[in-house]
């Protein structure tokens, strides 16, 4: 079971305090994805640390971007790619996400590649089509790489307090796995009080937690729920 905290553009909790709090939770791989400015503090605290994004070139004239080699030099273990906020607000495409994922894996980073449909796409009955296009892009670039994990994050559930039901999550995860046989995390308003039922679904291999990862107690409670589901 894998629980990843996406701090987004927040400073997030105190890394040593968080590291001490989650250290004793057995059977759960805990990951934090802080903003770039907090990467070193998280690495130094002994947390398994991911960036929130990564470029495909080792270096170059790409203002505002950070390369896989630069992250590795800091002791960063992996990176998110394709988060819906990158796709929505920064124009990231399936092709770009696939390039980022491929380059990161090739450079030795682990990758969590995010996919998910919007409310409009779900309402139009296009969920599977959207997921297929997004997952196929990553699959064609990376294959079922052993350091690749996917995250299913329905856009309508991110930061909204609206969570997919366990049945909805299970259905989408099973579909994603049928396209690319890798672990799939659920993301979208995961909280201590809904984590256990989501994580209990057979095709849910962990969670990508946004808002609730900013609070040490909430994040630790989600990690403990994961440990209890599949000890
Ligand atoms: P949320 O964010 O838990 O705040 O909904 C999840 C994410 O965006 O990864």
């Amino acid at each position: 079971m894998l629980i990843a905290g996406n701090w987004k553009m927040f400073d997030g909790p105190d890394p040593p305090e968080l590291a001490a709090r989650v250290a004793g939770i057995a059977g759960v791989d805990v990951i934090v994805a802080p903003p770039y400015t907090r990467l070193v503090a998280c690495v130094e605290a002994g947390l398994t640390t991911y960036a929130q994004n990564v470029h495909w070139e080792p270096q170059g004239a790409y203002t505002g971007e950070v390369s896989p080699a630069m992250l590795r030099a800091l002791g960063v273990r992996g990176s998110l790619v394709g988060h819906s906020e990158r796709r929505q607000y920064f124009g990231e495409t399936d092709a770009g996400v696939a390039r980022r994922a491929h380059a990161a894996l090739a450079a030795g980073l682990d990758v969590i590649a995010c996919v998910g449909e919007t409310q409009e796409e779900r309402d139009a009955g296009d969920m599977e089509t959207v997921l297929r296009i997004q997952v196929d892009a990553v699959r064609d670039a990376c294959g079922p790489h052993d350091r690749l994990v996917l995250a299913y994050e329905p856009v309508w559930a991110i930061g909204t307090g609206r969570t997919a039901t366990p049945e909805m999550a299970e259905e989408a995860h099973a579909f994603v796995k049928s396209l690319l046989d890798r672990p799939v995390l659920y993301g979208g308003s995961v909280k201590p009080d809904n984590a256990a039922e989501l994580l209990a679904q057979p095709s849910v291999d962990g969670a990508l937690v946004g808002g609730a990862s900013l609070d040490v107690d909430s994040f630790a409670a989600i990690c403990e729920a994961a440990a209890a589901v599949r000890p």
Side-chain angles (χ1 to χ4, degrees):
M1 198 60 85
L2 196 160
I3 304 294
N6 172 14
W7 296 1
K8 310 195 178 188
M9 200 172 71
F10 294 96
D11 277 336
D14 178 57
E17 183 191 347
L18 179 63
R21 186 63 190 276
V22 298
I25 304 175
V28 180
D29 293 322
V30 178
I31 289 169
V32 293
Y36 292 119
T37 50
R38 303 285 280 158
L39 288 171
V40 169
C42 289
V43 170
E44 285 178 350
L47 291 160
T48 302
T49 305
Y50 278 38
Q52 295 176 9
N53 204 3
V54 60
H55 197 258
W56 52 81
E57 293 291 345
Q59 58 181 10
Y62 298 101
T63 302
E65 294 285 336
V66 172
S67 79
M70 290 168 176
L71 294 172
R72 289 212 64 189
L74 296 181
V76 169
R77 179 79 65 83
S79 185
L80 309 182
V81 299
H83 190 279
S84 66
E85 287 153 12
R86 299 300 316 169
R87 297 175 187 264
Q88 261 187 298
Y89 305 137
F90 302 97
E92 291 204 15
T93 62
D94 291 322
V97 170
R99 282 180 90 177
R100 290 174 192 271
H102 178 263
L105 290 167
L109 291 171
D110 298 352
V111 167
I112 297 174
C114 307
V115 299
E117 82 287 357
T118 64
Q119 184 70 63
E120 295 70 40
E121 289 163 345
R122 177 172 275 265
D123 290 347
D126 291 340
M127 179 188 88
E128 291 199 349
T129 306
V130 170
L131 291 179
R132 184 186 297 279
I133 290 168
Q134 294 178 348
V135 174
D136 279 359
V138 174
R139 190 204 54 205
D140 291 351
C142 307
H145 197 289
D146 63 1
R147 280 183 285 105
L148 173 64
V149 166
L150 297 164
Y152 170 63
E153 298 202 300
V155 178
W156 46 270
I158 294 179
T160 58
R162 289 179 61 205
T163 319
T165 63
E167 295 72 27
M168 286 157 88
E170 174 60 25
E171 185 193 0
H173 281 228
F175 180 67
V176 168
K177 278 174 189 283
S178 76
L179 302 170
L180 181 54
D181 189 16
R182 294 299 303 147
V184 183
L185 313 181
Y186 173 78
S189 298
V190 176
K191 308 283 180 228
D193 61 1
N194 62 21
E197 59 175 3
L198 287 161
L199 293 167
Q201 299 302 308
S203 303
V204 176
D205 302 302
L208 180 53
V209 184
S213 73
L214 297 174
D215 178 80
V216 170
D217 290 333
S218 300
F219 190 60
I222 293 168
C223 294
E224 278 155 6
V229 167
R230 278 176 228 161

